[in-house]
Amino acid sequence: MKIVRLILLILHIGIFFLLVGMLLNAYVPPKVFPWFNLLSLAFPGLIFGYVVITLFWIFSWKKRAFVFLFLGLFFFNSTMRWVNYSPTKNETPDLKVISLNAKNGNLGVKNIESFVNAQKADVVLLQEYGGNRDYHFEGLKRFPDTAIVAVFSKFKIIQHKGLVKSNFDHTNVYVSQTDIDVNGNICRFINVHLQPFRFEKKMINLGENDKQGEEKLKNIVKRLIPVFKIHQDEVANVKKAVENSPYPVILAGDFNSVPNSYEYYHLLNGMQDCFVEAGKGSATSFHDYKFPIRIDYIFASKSIKPISYKVDRSVKISDHFPVIATFKLEK
């Protein structure tokens, strides 16, 4: 039994340092050391292992349980970005926003239209909406877009422009900026679709034997690292637009990045994660794989108050679940 406890202790310490490495994404960019960003992908498994071993020490009546409980507090905020509970805010919102990666409308444009029309949203931000797909949302006007991102609003558009173009196809805008007059309050909406990794399910399935699994794992890492570095440049452009905005900002979309990643920390800087402020349950938004992934977000300037945040898992109109948030604007 002593050997088992020693192995668990070494494993527990190892997991702790891996989690600390993940926190360094707030400071170390992918172009300097991309491996910390890989740790953010493993966070659900790492924190689960950390909690399970901590419980083992508690039930074993070991004093080290208190040490690991205390050290675990360093990862409290990291966990709240995946699973959270916020009390209901009994305020009437001024604005309702939907963000959805539409998967090019492959699961049915009419299905997306029916969902959005039932929600009575004020602003809809679509990513991968399908190029020339023709969406008709009741009471919402469509504004200039590209094959990647599209904006629909019932309010007046003041200005609209592209911010970030695809690293591979410079005709496609992956991030757009739209200034919208919301009942006298001008807000800047930044619709984000960071560079995708272009994975397929068969690439994620590691295979039936160790050799196949090892080879596929190497290929996954080879695909992840270059995209992390592309994201660093894209994030810099988005941050510049946020920092230079004369208006409060709502930043939403498919970040192709999980919580506690470099992208998350740096896009969140000066903003608030609306799920952390007003969400309940799990924020997991991508359901095409068997393991939990949160890559869809709605952030807001601190002058905008999130009232509610929901990942709607009742519909499967894409490989992403729709993300819905409501807000109270300062007068």
Side-chain angles (χ1 to χ4, degrees), residues 94-98 116-117 120-126 135-145 149-160 176-191 250 329:
D94 303 314
L95 176 67
K96 186 175 186 179
V97 177
I98 294 176
V116 171
N117 290 335
K120 306 295 182 184
D122 299 310
V123 176
V124 176
L125 307 174
L126 297 184
Y135 295 87
H136 297 281
F137 300 139
E138 295 172 4
L140 302 181
K141 184 178 178 182
R142 178 172 171 174
F143 292 89
D145 46 45
V149 291
V151 178
F152 301 79
S153 172
K154 80 172 187 180
F155 300 113
K156 180 182 177 182
I157 297 291
I158 306 299
Q159 185 182 27
H160 177 96
S176 69
Q177 169 185 299
T178 310
D179 295 338
I180 300 178
D181 186 341
V182 183
N183 295 325
N185 293 283
I186 300 177
C187 294
R188 174 161 293 177
F189 290 79
I190 299 181
N191 191 6
I250 291 178
L329 304 179

Side-chain angles (χ1 to χ4, degrees), residues 221-233:
V221 173
K222 286 179 181 178
R223 189 175 289 255
L224 287 170
I225 299 300
V227 176
F228 286 158
K229 295 177 180 180
I230 292 171
H231 282 180
Q232 182 179 334
D233 293 331

Side-chain angles (χ1 to χ4, degrees), residues 7-261:
I7 293 172
L8 285 177
L9 178 59
I10 293 171
L11 179 61
H12 210 175
I13 293 171
I15 292 174
F16 171 77
F17 280 109
L18 289 175
L19 289 168
V20 169
M22 178 203 68
L23 297 180
L24 293 178
N25 282 314
Y27 311 101
V28 182
K31 288 184 180 181
V32 174
F33 192 78
W35 302 98
F36 289 143
N37 228 17
L38 284 174
L39 293 175
S40 65
L41 295 170
F43 176 77
L46 290 173
I47 198 65
F48 178 79
Y50 188 92
V51 170
V52 167
I53 300 175
T54 301
L55 290 174
F56 174 80
W57 299 135
I58 292 173
F59 289 117
S60 298
W61 294 95
K62 294 295 181 182
K63 293 180 180 178
R64 68 192 65 164
F66 296 101
V67 175
F68 284 107
L69 278 171
F70 173 76
L71 293 175
L73 295 176
F74 286 104
F75 315 116
F76 179 78
N77 289 336
S78 301
T79 304
M80 298 292 282
R81 294 163 187 153
W82 286 89
V83 181
N84 186 32
Y85 178 81
S86 298
T88 301
K89 297 179 174 66
N90 296 316
E91 297 182 61
T92 303
D94 303 314
L95 176 67
K96 186 175 186 179
V97 177
I98 294 176
S99 178
L100 170 67
N101 181 314
K103 198 183 180 181
N104 299 310
N106 292 344
L107 299 188
V109 169
K110 293 297 181 184
N111 294 332
I112 295 174
E113 288 175 344
S114 296
F115 172 79
V116 171
N117 290 335
Q119 293 296 319
K120 306 295 182 184
D122 299 310
V123 176
V124 176
L125 307 174
L126 297 184
Q127 307 87 42
E128 289 188 35
Y129 79 97
N132 294 322
R133 297 278 194 181
D134 195 13
Y135 295 87
H136 297 281
F137 300 139
E138 295 172 4
L140 302 181
K141 184 178 178 182
R142 178 172 171 174
F143 292 89
D145 46 45
T146 72
I148 306 299
V149 291
V151 178
F152 301 79
S153 172
K154 80 172 187 180
F155 300 113
K156 180 182 177 182
I157 297 291
I158 306 299
Q159 185 182 27
H160 177 96
K161 69 176 183 179
L163 283 181
V164 178
K165 291 186 177 181
S166 167
N167 196 267
F168 302 108
D169 178 2
H170 293 289
T171 63
N172 284 331
V173 174
Y174 269 57
V175 181
S176 69
Q177 169 185 299
T178 310
D179 295 338
I180 300 178
D181 186 341
V182 183
N183 295 325
N185 293 283
I186 300 177
C187 294
R188 174 161 293 177
F189 290 79
I190 299 181
N191 191 6
V192 176
H193 184 265
L194 294 187
Q195 190 69 45
F197 295 98
R198 304 186 189 280
F199 282 128
E200 297 177 8
K201 281 186 179 180
K202 61 182 180 181
M203 297 173 63
I204 304 299
N205 185 350
L206 296 182
E208 297 179 357
N209 58 60
D210 292 341
K211 188 174 182 180
Q212 282 182 332
E214 184 179 347
E215 189 62 31
K216 284 192 174 184
L217 189 59
K218 287 180 181 178
N219 290 334
I220 289 171
V221 173
K222 286 179 181 178
R223 189 175 289 255
L224 287 170
I225 299 300
V227 176
F228 286 158
K229 295 177 180 180
I230 292 171
H231 282 180
Q232 182 179 334
D233 293 331
E234 292 177 332
V235 166
N237 288 326
V238 174
K239 280 186 64 180
K240 184 177 179 181
V242 172
E243 291 168 355
N244 293 337
S245 175
Y247 314 116
V249 174
I250 291 178
L251 172 66
D254 177 1
F255 292 6
N256 277 305
S257 309
V258 296
N260 311 306
S261 62

Side-chain angles (χ1 to χ4, degrees), residues 299-319:
F299 291 172
S301 295
K302 293 180 180 178
S303 60
I304 301 175
K305 184 177 182 179
I307 302 300
S308 67
Y309 183 103
K310 178 182 179 181
V311 180
D312 195 333
R313 297 183 181 82
S314 67
V315 293
K316 287 190 177 180
I317 52 180
S318 168
D319 52 355

